[in-house]
Amino acid sequence: RACADARAGSGGSGGSSGAVGGVPSSGSLGGRALTLGAGSGGSGGSSGAVGGVPSSGSLGGRALTLGPEVDVFSCGLVLFELFAGRRFFNPSTEPWPPRLDLGREPTLQRTASCARVGAAGCLLSDATVRWRCATWLHAQEQCLRIVLPMLRTHPPARPPLVELLNKHLFRPAEDTVQRRQIEVLALFSSPVRLRDRRAQGAIPHLKLMRELMHLQQGIPEGQRVIRPAARFPESLSIPLREHLPRVVQFSGHASPDRAHAVGGHGGGADGVVGGTLLFELEDGTAQVPPPEELVKLLEHQPRLQCIFLNACCSASLARRIVIALPHLRVICWTTLVDDRAATAFSTGFYDYLGSMLRERPGADGAAGARGADTIERAFRAASDAFAREGFVFGDPQPWLERKIAVPPVAGQYAMVSSDNVGAADVSFGANFGHQSAGPPLPTAQVSTPTLPQPLAARALASSVSV
């Protein structure tokens, strides 16, 4: 790098301007004066080396100081060759780089041709720099505007590194890790029929477009990827290859396993039985992938912090995910949930995450405990939105079993993590101040329901029509 500036001066190797290559003739690098030898042995002994370059020697008897301006010049030479497809210096008359003769006392050597060029007078001028850049970079105006200032022969005239790094050219490209990072990968699925047409029960219709609209309003455009009519596995595997989400969210139906959703007691080896999500085929038929395949697709995601299962009776799948991937937090529903209540809950979640992104647009929320705290606060915001819309925390199933079409409760949500995955009941929405409604009163004493419409649950109908 030093010889880059040795070329970039107007005084030659033995000029009388008091500088070499336009660099001041005195200074220090790590407290040592640095001079470059022009002959095989140099005129001064070596008292040590700095960065592999001798810390003493001579170049026309002048000392040469290395500073950030030298780095800028060197970077300019590299960019010129990348953009122009040729070297800045002519290899036949201006050999580059100078050679370091390690067989002798460690002094930086210059070739004979370099010395002749120096003896001829000016090594490099601003006019030469402008001519070469204009000739070889004329078709790349942006590159010309960046490289030309970097190759100015007067070091203080070169732009500082901070200014260069703010140029658009040096910003992350589309395929870099930073550009792949997103906040939410959202999957929406609402199949209309079961594969086995003889199966009892129906698949309730869900108004997912309203939830999708709230997601678009809450999360900035560049921070979300949406897959409607999600099909397994491509709707999940392809976005996970192309992006690095922090939250993966599924909205739709779940295949319930209510016996194990709340208590987590089961006959499987890990204490978890059944429970999966319903994707949809092109004809609207429900697609029910094995839960272990869902979990496998979530592995090896370095930014992933949270899974949001906005579907009924999804706690058993949440437990399975946390057991396999204990660093994740999974938001789920331990009971049936009213479609409108699920939309209100998710809206509060999206709105909080979106507000954090707008307040700190450059921050990576996946950094350690800070990111986990953000997920906790977003969960609390979702809980508050659930209550603010008039929904009551509680299990609708006992009310439905008594043929009450409009239960006064809308569902029980939970966040499953490594801290509570083994708990008897992972539902803890009541911890945020939302009291669960008690068991159904006798028919004659049932109070006026709080929900204006019959429950539309996000789960397959089982023995009870919903």
Side-chain angles (χ1 to χ4, degrees), residues 25-67:
S25 60
S26 64
S28 64
L29 179 64
R32 302 176 181 178
L34 179 62
T35 57
L36 304 181
S40 61
S43 60
S46 173
S47 62
V50 179
V53 180
S55 60
S56 65
S58 67
L59 180 58
R62 304 291 183 180
L64 179 62
T65 300
L66 300 183

Side-chain angles (χ1 to χ4, degrees), residues 171-446:
R171 293 177 185 173
E174 291 294 338
D175 59 347
T176 62
V177 171
Q178 183 176 347
R179 288 297 179 94
R180 292 174 60 202
Q181 293 177 357
I182 60 172
E183 189 71 6
V184 176
L185 167 59
L187 310 179
F188 293 86
S189 176
S190 184
V192 296
R193 67 180 66 88
L194 299 173
R195 181 181 295 273
D196 185 356
R197 299 181 183 276
R198 297 171 299 175
Q200 297 295 320
I203 302 182
H205 172 69
L206 301 178
K207 297 179 180 179
L208 296 180
M209 292 306 296
R210 187 178 300 276
E211 182 178 347
L212 192 151
M213 178 188 68
H214 288 300
L215 169 62
Q216 292 176 324
Q217 293 173 347
I219 305 297
E221 182 176 0
Q223 291 292 325
R224 65 175 187 261
V225 172
I226 299 174
R227 291 293 183 267
R231 182 173 179 176
F232 189 84
E234 54 266 30
S235 293
L236 182 59
S237 61
I238 294 176
L240 287 178
R241 285 199 304 266
E242 297 175 348
H243 303 280
L244 296 172
R246 184 172 159 216
V247 177
V248 171
Q249 176 247 326
F250 176 89
S251 288
H253 289 291
S255 176
D257 181 16
R258 192 171 183 282
H260 307 288
V262 178
H265 308 295
D270 55 5
V272 179
V273 176
T276 187
L277 305 176
L278 268 64
F279 291 78
E280 59 181 289
L281 301 175
E282 292 183 1
D283 62 354
T285 302
Q287 183 187 21
V288 188
E292 57 270 15
E293 293 187 15
L294 277 168
V295 175
K296 188 174 182 180
L297 286 180
L298 300 175
E299 297 175 350
H300 311 299
Q301 294 296 316
R303 288 190 78 248
L304 188 59
Q305 281 191 330
C306 176
I307 309 297
F308 183 8
L309 304 178
N310 207 16
C312 292
C313 304
S314 49
S316 59
L317 178 58
R319 288 178 182 275
R320 185 182 291 273
I321 292 173
V322 172
I323 290 172
L325 305 170
H327 64 285
L328 295 180
R329 296 168 181 264
V330 184
I331 299 172
C332 62
W333 296 88
T334 63
T335 64
L336 298 176
V337 57
D338 182 80
D339 186 30
R340 292 153 292 161
T343 299
F345 185 86
S346 65
T347 299
F349 186 79
Y350 301 142
D351 287 347
Y352 183 85
L353 290 183
S355 66
M356 290 297 98
L357 289 172
R358 294 181 180 91
E359 288 179 10
R360 297 177 296 176
D364 181 11
R370 184 181 63 186
D373 290 343
T374 301
I375 297 299
E376 291 271 9
R377 290 192 293 270
F379 177 66
R380 186 182 186 106
S383 172
D384 292 340
F386 177 88
R388 191 166 53 248
E389 292 298 320
F391 298 105
V392 179
F393 181 89
D395 186 358
Q397 187 69 28
W399 301 84
L400 295 171
E401 290 174 353
R402 296 186 64 87
K403 308 301 181 184
I404 299 174
V406 187
V409 294
Q412 293 184 176
Y413 44 81
M415 179 185 288
V416 183
S417 67
S418 57
D419 296 331
N420 68 342
V421 67
D425 187 352
V426 295
S427 299
F428 57 93
N431 293 347
F432 291 125
H434 307 320
Q435 298 299 323
S436 175
L441 299 173
T443 305
Q445 302 178 29
V446 172

